[in-house]
């Protein structure tokens, strides 16, 4: 696998290819079965649908109180547009995952908290949500592919989860993991990806006031294609850091290797902060396409959130901070 991977990156045609799609193309070249061929039959689909359509037991918590502090410099992206333009490679590697993602059963949904904590435990998503106070925040989102959206998330700060988890002083990073069930998400059968989807934050990033766990968006429980029932939003970092449908939080000493970093470290670093002046190896990061508007606007350093986060990185001169 690693031989194919390395050789793949030398292909010149990817110069013009949007980043994430490159993997898909190579997957096809490598002879992987197509996502469609991997989909199961109708009886199975029916069962998945039944499981997937349990009424959301947290619906009464929405809409949550809006937090006025985090203001946008642009309109919120229309929900219809946002929920039909998603990256969720567990399902497939196009932006068109909304329909397939409906197969994901999001209740029951257990979240595991382990690693360097006082006592590891598992908790059901509804118990967790009700231990937290939900609020609504508007954030910008900048994908490393040079597009952006603006979203009204509902959720709670990662710092509150950290507090609840009671990590030990030796914990240096928070490692997060997405569900890994190839029966509902055919992309997980594509063995050239180093599944499960993993991402990590330093403890300073995780406890920064901006780091947010979204349980909802647009005033109701979050759509499956956007990462139900629990997804990260770290608006100063490139979008791939915002891991979806999280099942596990581990407090660790070693810096975790994210799924994309494991696949291609030169394009997806651990820090991955937004910086218009540092081009991606294959394209400029100077501007972004505002999805749904046809507008192109200049990208801002730290996606405009420097006041909140720049100090986190001021002592890290030897680290690669820019994707
Ligand atoms: N588990 C998982 N999380 C993920 C991804 C993914 O493929 N799988 N894609 C990431 C990328 S590249 C982006 S840009 C955002 C997209 O979030 P959105 O679909 O809600 O806009 O999710 C991120 N989180
Ligand atoms: Mo992304």
């Amino acid at each position: 696998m690693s031989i194919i991977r390395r050789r793949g990156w030398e292909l010149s045609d990817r110069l013009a290819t949007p980043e994430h799609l490159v993997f898909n193309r190579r997957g096809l070249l490598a002879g992987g079965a197509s996502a469609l061929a991997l989909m199961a039959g109708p009886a199975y689909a029916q069962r998945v649908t039944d499981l997937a359509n349990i009424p959301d037991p947290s619906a009464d918590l929405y809409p949550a109180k809006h937090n006025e502090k985090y203001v946008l410099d642009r309109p919120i992206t229309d929900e219809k547009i946002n929920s039909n333009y998603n990256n969720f490679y567990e399902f497939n590697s196009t932006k068109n995952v909304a329909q397939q993602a409906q197969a994901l059963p999001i209740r029951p949904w257990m979240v595991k908290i382990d690693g360097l904590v006082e006592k590891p435990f598992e908790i059901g998503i509804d118990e967790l949500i009700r231990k937290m106070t939900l609020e609504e925040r508007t954030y910008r989102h900048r994908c490393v592919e040079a597009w952006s959206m603006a979203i009204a998330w509902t959720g709670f700060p990662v710092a509150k989860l950290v507090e609840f988890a009671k990590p030990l002083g030796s914990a240096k990073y928070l490692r997060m993991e997405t569900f890994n069930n190839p029966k509902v998400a055919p992309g997980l059968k594509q063995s050239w990806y180093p599944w499960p989807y993993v991402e990590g934050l330093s403890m300073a990033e995780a406890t920064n006031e901006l780091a947010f766990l979204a349980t909802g968006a647009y005033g109701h429980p979050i759509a499956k294609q956007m990462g139900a029932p629990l997804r990260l939003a770290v608006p100063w970092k490139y979008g791939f850091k915002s891991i979806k449908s999280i099942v596990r939080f581990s407090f660790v000493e070693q810096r975790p290797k994210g799924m994309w970093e494991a696949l291609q470290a030169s394009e997806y670093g651990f820090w991955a902060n937004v910086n218009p002046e540092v081009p991606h190896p294959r394209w400029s990061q100077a501007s972004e396409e505002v999805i749904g508007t046809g507008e192109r606007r200049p990208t801002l350093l730290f996606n405009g959130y420097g006041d909140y986060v720049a100090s986190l990185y001021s002592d890290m001169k030897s680290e690669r901070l820019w994707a």
Side-chain angles (χ1 to χ4, degrees), residues 20 86-90 141 143 178 197 231 239-240 242 244:
H20 299 307
N86 304 98
N87 276 328
F88 206 160
Y89 275 58
E90 283 82 346
H141 174 97
C143 177
T178 295
Y197 200 103
R231 128 337 132 72
F240 67 88
S242 302
K244 295 178 166 179

Side-chain angles (χ1 to χ4, degrees), residues 5 8 28 31 57 90 92 111 126 130 181 195 213 225 240 245 260 268 277 294 296 298:
R5 217 175 277 159
L28 295 172
E90 283 82 346
N92 72 64
V111 177
D126 290 301
R130 283 175 199 276
N181 181 357
W195 303 117
L213 283 163
Q225 63 271 31
F240 67 88
S245 305
W260 294 109
Y268 305 91
E277 288 179 11
R296 238 192 139 83

Side-chain angles (χ1 to χ4, degrees), residues 132 135 137 139 155-167 174 176 201-213 232-234 236 249 251:
M132 303 290 152
E135 60 176 282
R137 294 186 183 188
Y139 277 171
F156 54 89
V158 181
K160 293 291 179 196
L161 180 107
V162 171
E163 202 180 295
F164 178 62
K166 299 197 174 78
L174 176 58
M176 289 154 280
L201 297 172
S202 69
M203 290 307 291
E205 289 176 316
T207 54
N208 182 274
E209 66 171 89
L210 287 181
F212 199 65
L213 283 163
L232 182 67
V234 278
W236 71 98
F249 295 89
F251 292 82

Side-chain angles (χ1 to χ4, degrees), residues 63-82:
K65 190 165 185 288
H66 181 73
N67 185 333
E68 307 279 340
K69 185 169 179 192
Y70 307 100
V71 288
L72 293 174
D73 57 352
R74 62 196 75 178
I76 293 175
T77 305
D78 190 90
E79 181 177 10
K80 270 218 181 68
I81 290 168
N82 192 331

